[in-house]
Amino acid sequence: MESCIFCKIVKGELPSSKVYEDVDVFAFLDIKPVNPGHTLVIPKKHYVNVHDMPDEMVGKVAIAAKKVADAILKIGAKGVNIGTNNGKDAGQVVFHAHTHVMPRYGNDKFSLWVGKEYDGDERQEVAEKIRQSLNP
Ligand code: DGP
């Protein structure tokens, strides 16, 4: 897509710190890292987010993300978070699908989400809704 910054990075029209590339996937360092080495793994082709991607491409990006995560562990990270933000309300800012691979250390002060409690039968109800949505 013409105006997409990640498409421009893939094409070399914008600079990036590339760490991995194959036929379908490109990976480069995030400019605002949670910790040094925080990498974005993206499909070369433009998709908005995971919901827009064919399953095969989701698999290719996931496999590349694991490769990058393995490499990050080898150079000293103690753990790795792998995640995607899908949609504005989920914190997606760049609308070219990307998976974050984030090196973690015990004392890095990066906090994840805080879990809520379910009210009453809500847990069963929402599980049933998701099951029905998966198998209408
Ligand atoms: P998200 O909230 O999941 O859409 O994360 C977008 C990430 O992209 C954010 O962590 C910062 C990163 N980012 C934004 N613009 C650029 C850029 O031009 N170059 C690089 N390397 N990263 C970028």
Side-chain angles (χ1 to χ4, degrees), residues 46-116:
H46 186 87
Y47 298 102
V48 173
N49 57 35
V50 74
H51 307 293
D52 192 30
M53 288 165 70
D55 289 353
E56 190 191 2
M57 187 57 70
V58 174
K60 286 178 175 174
V61 170
I63 289 166
K66 179 178 181 289
K67 278 189 183 144
V68 171
D70 289 345
I72 284 171
L73 271 187
K74 274 200 208 156
I75 61 167
K78 301 299 178 203
V80 183
N81 290 119
I82 300 176
T84 65
N85 299 326
N86 297 288
K88 184 167 159 285
D89 286 6
Q92 185 175 7
V93 173
V94 176
F95 290 87
H96 180 128
H98 53 279
T99 295
H100 294 262
V101 181
M102 296 167 277
R104 297 300 309 278
Y105 304 90
N107 60 353
D108 64 16
K109 308 233 166 39
F110 171 53
S111 57
L112 294 177
W113 55 83
V114 178
K116 299 176 186 170

